[in-house]
Amino acid sequence: MSLKDKLSELRQRGLADIKQSTDLKDVNQVRVQLLGKKGPITEVLRGMRDLDAAERPKVGAFANEIRDDLTAALTQRKAELEQAVLNAQLAKETLDVTLPGTPVAKGEPHVIQQIVDQIEDLFLGMGYQVLSGPEVEEDKYNFEMMNLPKNHPARDMQDTFYITKDILMRTQTSPMQARTLEKHDFSKGPLKMISPGVVYRRDTDDPTHSHQFHQVEGLVIDKHITMADLKGTLQVLAHELFGDKFDVRLRPSYFPFTEPSVEADITCFNCGGKGCKVCKNTGWIEVLGAGMVHPNVLKMAGVDPDVYGGFAFGVGPDRFAMLKYGVDDIRNFYLNDVRFLTQFTKKG
Amino acid sequence: MKISYNWIKEYLDLDVKPVDLAEKIERTSVEVDDVIKPSDGLKKIVVGHVLSVEAHPDSDHLHICQVDVGEAEPLQIVCGAPNIAEGQNVIVALPGSRIANNVKIKKSKMRGVPSAGMICALQEIGFSEDVVPKAYVEGIYVLPEDATPGDAVYDYLGMNDSLIDLDVTPNRGDMLSLYGTLHDLAAIYDKPIDLDHPAVKEDGAAIDDQLAVHVDETLSSQYRMRLVKNLKLGPSPMWLQIRLWNAGMRPINNVVDITNYIMLKYGQPLHAFDYDKFAGEDVYVRTAKAGEKLTTLDENDHDLDENDIVIADQKGPIALAGIMGGLDASIHDGTTTVAIESAVFEHDHIRKAAQRHNLHTDASQRFERGVNQAGVQEALDAAAQLMNELADGEVQKGSVVGSSNIPEPAVITITLPHVNAILGTELTMDQVAHILESLGFKVVISAETLTVTVPVRRNDIHIPADLLEEIARIYGYDQLPATLPTGRMTMGSLTTKQRLVRATRKSLEGLGLNQAISYALTTADKAKMFMMQASETTELAWPMTVDHAVLRMNLITGLLDDIAYNSARKVKDVALYEQGRVFYREDGQDRPAEEEHIAGAITGTLLPAAWNQPAQPVDFFQMKGIVAAYLKDMAVNGDVTYVPNADMPEMHPGRTADILVHGHRIGFLGEVHPSIAKKFKVGATYVFELNLQAIVDMPKQENQYDVISRYPAITRDIAMLVDNDITNEQIVALIERRGGAFLQSVKLFDVYDGVKVPKGKKSLAYTLTYQDKHETLVDDAVTQAFDKVSKHLEEDLGAEIR
Ligand SMILES: [Zn+2]
């Protein structure tokens, strides 16, 4: 057999061995066998010295070619087997991705807080300040400066927790408006404020009444504020809180601290305005009170009602939350059942 | 007040459905609670004529009646009413009919006798018991003699009318009457109204010779009486009874009914006295005297207050003025001479007296809000006229007038530019003037100015702003444009405090706590627990319940209440925080100071057990970790230290730490004392409470960039045995003080006080990390620093390095 034939046969046998190797150890063994110092190729090359000088480079080149082929085949086989090992390992590592994720500790803001924050952000964007006053108020700020002198019949409308004759739990957040009006320097610009906070009424707690609830009152005083501005502002508020589909309508009402006074209804959540049980078939739901600030309120705060005027409104975040989410019992907001608190998780 | 649609239509030519009228009223003047048509839901209820009545053979109270219902054959109906009698016209619910509350009537047998339908009481066809005439409360109702058998009963009883239930705001006393409502509707629909005015036929003698009234004008600005003699007391005609029961009032007799009817029509409460019961011929309007008593018409006894206005004769009070008459001088069978009172009483007195005696009547409601002071005499005349027409009474000549102060109408000037400037409209002078005139106001225009004279009946209108409301509502709020305020720009931004409070909430939510909002009013006991400073309690003068009677001085008890609520509902893992105010009061002050606090409470586990991790019950160090992370978020400037506090009665004495920032106590954390937890019915609970205002006020560290060293860090571990009373804080402080310039951090990685450690000792192990910012540290330098620390630990703290 010529050397060349021998090499050809070597290649054939080597490739077959490589192909048959089943793990990395095998591959290594085959490599040592074929290409090692004691391997057949080395041996063949060693036998080259017996060849003609003319033959030698040809056979040498052929031998190198065979060695390269075998090396390439070994490398490829090794890669294949490594891949197989990896695949097997990955297969073994496969998870049931439908198993639940590991719990993380995560708290939620209170649903009423979310609504208050939303209202605050809206009005901050429109250049309002956010001011919160004391919860224990003087009768003077809570009532008298709101144009509700002692013995005013409308005081019966809101039963009050008194601490002494003159000190009470605020029944509304508007006393902060009186406090701010008293101090505001109109030469520095208009007064635009909202006052969010907790208020208290002498009510027995039941599904629709709570002795403690929240209010956000707004006040804008400047030289040229109109009732149309009030309407537009309330529209923006409704759209922001509930969505563009919600419309606002105004109805006459009575509050001692505003004149004209209005109540604002928005499109019924339940039926979208078609009329249903929730809205007593009117398609509308009453959500807030508002009006143009009564001249007496301005006068009492030392603001000239012939020069300045504006509007005020008051909204109840508890009521908003009840309407928006269909909460059927106001007490849920203050009993803090974790299963209730963690229902309102949508952010942004 | 329920106002009748049919009655309105007698005066106003309207072509609108009742619901649309109600909607219009709601949009333009006052809220409407409901629109009720009494016949709605009823079916096949007809007039029946009782042909015969026989006793039921098997019953001592049932009767077998043959009733003509306008069909060929009479119906046999078994009836149990005691007042059933032959010849009556009655209300028959035919077989297949529907009566009140959606009840269906079928043919049936009663004690073996077939009964085709039912003879009804008014209550059974939807009348409220308190409007049913007394004679028919216990039995069936008897219809007028001229009723035609077979006719539906609804028209006979006024049940096809629609009743609009107005929720009148306190300022609109004028709307508590038909006439007041008509004035508003005239403007709303821009149509004329044709009101009738009384014409009294007088007879007999001059009233002055028979009656004198003596009035304190501060109590009653108008007091007028008429005298009607030879009255024939009896039931009112049907039309009048219908007006009353549709308005929610019980027909009583013609005299009393007339006073109520006039009140509904004019808004003026009247009272009818039995003149013959007066002691003498003098009537006094005065305040009650100490010790005086009065039994009112409803047969309740009242001890009168010296601020009550009473009508009195020579002997004493005969009526609680403006609220309710007395029983003694009331109209009763046998009354023939009636003194009718039409008056105005001071509203504040009436309001307080109604509250004092818990007697809120149709009259008091109207006096509280103010009646039409220009119509007092007219209402009196109208009543007298009706007593003449309906009860054959002889109206004595003239009225007796004790006081007659009618206020001047308000005259208000307003300019057109002002109207448009405030409303944001572009109304013309004609439009504005027309609206005001349609309300019955007199308007004089001069250039851009309107001078408006407001009728006395509108006692809610005094200033230009009041006119603006009238113009706006009649013009229609829907027609107002919607704009946003323009003018000088203002900045809208949160204050530092508001930002920090928001950051506080976000931080704690990120750390796993849910925001709770608890009640600020609590029990006296709870208010005083977990106190961070000495304070008096602040108590409500008239609490509704003891549970909400005192202002809280801590937030934790609210959170414990919340946890108890959860735990009672089998929710065992609860992690809450609350941000809110506590109320500290100094002795001698009425008003408490309000301090913003933040508190947290965790019971059970913060992380629930899952398929891949066991539950880890909350402990002191988890809560401490939360507080520390929160304070880090707040970036308070200065060291935060934790000092054991064994003295808070509500806290576990060995598991409570005061929290100090730069040496100032800002709060505490730890485990709630087991006996307190038991009292609240909660399990082991860890809590913290911090003075949030103090955190707001503290100086803060600004964020700053610190170069991260590119050179490798070297760590050394050190383990030591120390006495049990040596704290981690002491060791760390010493290591930091003696650690040398390259010591970057000290981290505790093991604490052991088990069996392998001598008694009274514990083993602690720390990793010390060394690093130089500017070059690679040499091992020798670290060894030197480390040895120095070890030596100090041994010498200063008696540590045994292992
Ligand atoms: Zn609806």
Side-chain angles (χ1 to χ4, degrees), chain B residues 260-544:
Chain B
N260 285 330
Y261 171 78
I262 295 298
M263 177 178 72
L264 292 176
K265 186 167 171 179
Y266 293 91
Q268 172 66 49
L270 302 176
H271 188 66
F273 294 96
D274 185 334
Y275 171 79
D276 294 326
K277 292 289 174 67
F278 287 173
E281 293 181 352
D282 292 278
V283 166
Y284 303 86
V285 181
R286 58 166 171 86
T287 48
K289 293 171 190 158
E292 283 186 328
K293 291 177 192 300
L294 179 70
T295 304
T296 42
L297 274 174
D298 56 5
E299 301 185 18
N300 284 320
D301 297 329
H302 298 274
D303 291 324
L304 298 176
D305 184 277
E306 288 174 52
N307 291 309
D308 291 339
I309 309 176
V310 294
I311 313 302
D313 60 15
Q314 282 165 9
K315 283 202 325 227
I318 52 172
L320 192 50
I323 299 176
M324 193 178 271
L327 187 61
D328 284 350
S330 67
I331 308 302
H332 62 104
D333 293 344
T335 298
T336 58
T337 304
V338 166
I340 317 169
E341 167 204 279
S342 183
V344 177
F345 298 107
E346 200 279 314
H347 57 86
D348 205 31
H349 277 81
I350 298 296
R351 185 170 70 89
K352 286 180 178 156
Q355 273 173 0
R356 204 156 35 227
H357 298 285
N358 194 20
L359 208 53
H360 298 275
T361 60
D362 290 315
S364 71
Q365 184 195 23
R366 285 170 174 81
F367 284 123
E368 282 176 38
R369 296 175 189 219
V371 297
N372 176 12
Q373 298 194 49
V376 183
Q377 183 68 44
E378 181 171 344
L380 180 62
D381 292 348
Q385 182 186 349
L386 274 180
M387 287 193 199
N388 168 248
E389 290 171 8
L390 303 180
D392 277 346
E394 189 179 90
V395 182
Q396 304 298 291
K397 288 202 180 75
S399 306
V400 61
V401 179
S403 56
S404 57
N405 308 300
I406 302 174
E408 288 299 315
V411 179
I412 305 165
T413 58
I414 191 168
T415 66
L416 182 65
H418 181 69
V419 170
N420 284 323
I422 303 293
L423 299 183
T425 47
E426 287 171 1
L427 296 171
T428 64
M429 191 56 113
D430 276 354
Q431 279 175 294
V432 173
H434 184 78
I435 287 171
L436 294 172
E437 281 164 351
S438 69
L439 283 160
F441 300 1
K442 272 219 300 272
V443 180
V444 176
I445 298 168
S446 158
E448 301 237 274
T449 302
L450 300 99
T451 303
V452 184
T453 306
V454 181
V456 170
R457 63 183 162 78
R458 288 299 305 274
N459 62 5
D460 58 321
I461 295 181
H462 311 282
I463 57 171
D466 298 328
L467 289 181
L468 289 174
E469 176 162 270
E470 298 303 296
I471 296 163
R473 70 185 179 90
I474 301 293
Y475 175 61
Y477 285 118
D478 283 351
Q479 305 209 55
L480 278 192
T483 53
L484 288 176
T486 51
R488 284 174 295 175
M489 283 291 285
T490 48
M491 267 285 290
S493 64
L494 293 174
T495 62
T496 311
K497 175 176 175 176
Q498 287 163 345
R499 281 204 307 272
L500 185 132
V501 169
R502 279 197 181 191
T504 290
R505 296 199 302 256
K506 285 231 166 63
S507 171
L508 292 172
E509 284 151 21
L511 292 163
L513 308 187
N514 291 296
Q515 185 184 12
I517 301 178
S518 314
Y519 293 119
L521 288 164
T522 182
T523 67
D525 274 357
K526 290 175 189 171
K528 284 186 279 201
M529 289 180 175
F530 301 99
M531 296 280 280
M532 282 167 55
Q533 68 173 68
S535 168
E536 300 293 317
T537 53
T538 310
E539 289 156 28
L540 298 184
W542 302 104
M544 299 283 285

Side-chain angles (χ1 to χ4, degrees), chain A residues 203-213 318-319 322 327-333:
Chain A
D203 256 331
T204 304
D205 295 341
D206 68 22
T208 53
H209 296 87
S210 177
H211 73 274
Q212 168 183 309
F213 57 99
D318 301 56
R319 183 161 166 74
M322 291 178 86
V327 177
D328 55 0
D329 191 331
I330 192 172
R331 291 170 295 191
N332 280 324
F333 297 132

